[in-house]
Amino acid sequence: PADFVAHAHALAPRRCLQHLCLAEVQPDRRRLPPLALDAATGAPVWHVNVRTEHGILPEAKQWGLSCSPLVAGNALILDLGKVLVLDKRTGKLAVALGGDAPAFSSSVMFALGERRYVTSLNATGLVVYDLLAKQEVGRHPWEAKWAAAAVTPIVAGNRIFVSAGYGKGCALFQL
């Protein structure tokens, strides 16, 4: 969901969710914003450049942005350091949480009691946000070499397991 740096493909479909596909297009090595395409027809539905429109910080090593979109109802959640909650039908921003530099992980949504939370494993560490209150409720430093925390956290009850390569290891946090 930002500029796409193609190493092998000119058209790279990324994720299909229900009746919508997210794709990043880079004909002739030009960087273009990602598109949401109608899965049946391939027609553009919306596009957004998260860097310019939502202030996503630069990623380490200029490797590009990467995460797996999380769909919850009509929400499309992207962990790009700053967690963006977009309306999947329009691409419009519903909520922006945090403002850390991105790593390469993906958000996980979970519930504790009546509250719904979402994780962000970004360049500086693990952050947990309360979706209803729209605020940070927990943070722990977890810096991987080259800001390459690319593994999606695993949530089990009130515990969150994270890991990273390049000699960092793993940890289990309790909320």
Side-chain angles (χ1 to χ4, degrees):
D3 296 338
F4 176 59
V5 181
H7 295 288
H9 306 287
L11 175 62
R14 290 296 179 216
R15 303 281 182 264
C16 286
L17 36 118
Q18 294 168 357
H19 303 290
L20 191 70
C21 283
L22 298 180
E24 295 160 326
V25 182
Q26 187 184 19
D28 304 324
R29 299 247 184 250
R30 291 180 299 133
R31 292 182 178 189
L32 299 173
L35 303 171
L37 305 172
D38 182 288
T41 67
V45 178
W46 55 263
H47 72 273
V48 62
N49 187 314
V50 294
R51 290 185 196 281
T52 59
E53 294 180 40
H54 302 303
I56 298 301
L57 295 175
E59 70 286 352
K61 300 288 185 183
Q62 299 302 308
W63 289 330
L65 296 173
S66 178
C67 75
S68 295
L70 173 63
V71 179
N74 288 322
L76 178 69
I77 301 170
L78 306 172
D79 182 0
L80 301 170
K82 178 185 283 187
V83 175
L84 302 178
V85 181
L86 305 177
D87 184 314
K88 75 173 186 183
R89 300 162 298 182
T90 64
K92 299 288 184 207
L93 181 68
V95 177
L97 302 165
D100 295 289
F104 304 99
S105 185
S106 300
S107 286
V108 175
M109 186 184 307
F110 63 99
L112 283 178
E114 299 295 316
R115 307 299 286 203
R116 288 182 16 186
Y117 301 92
V118 67
T119 64
S120 174
L121 184 57
N122 56 57
T124 59
L126 174 66
V127 186
V128 177
Y129 297 100
D130 182 319
L131 286 172
L132 183 62
K134 300 177 184 168
Q135 67 183 16
E136 181 180 311
V137 295
R139 174 181 290 267
H140 193 281
W142 185 258
E143 294 184 30
K145 189 173 185 179
W146 302 306
V151 178
T152 301
I154 298 171
V155 178
N158 67 344
R159 295 189 174 116
I160 303 175
F161 176 82
V162 297
S163 65
Y166 305 108
K168 179 64 176 178
C170 60
L172 183 64
F173 300 105
Q174 185 168 333
L175 298 174

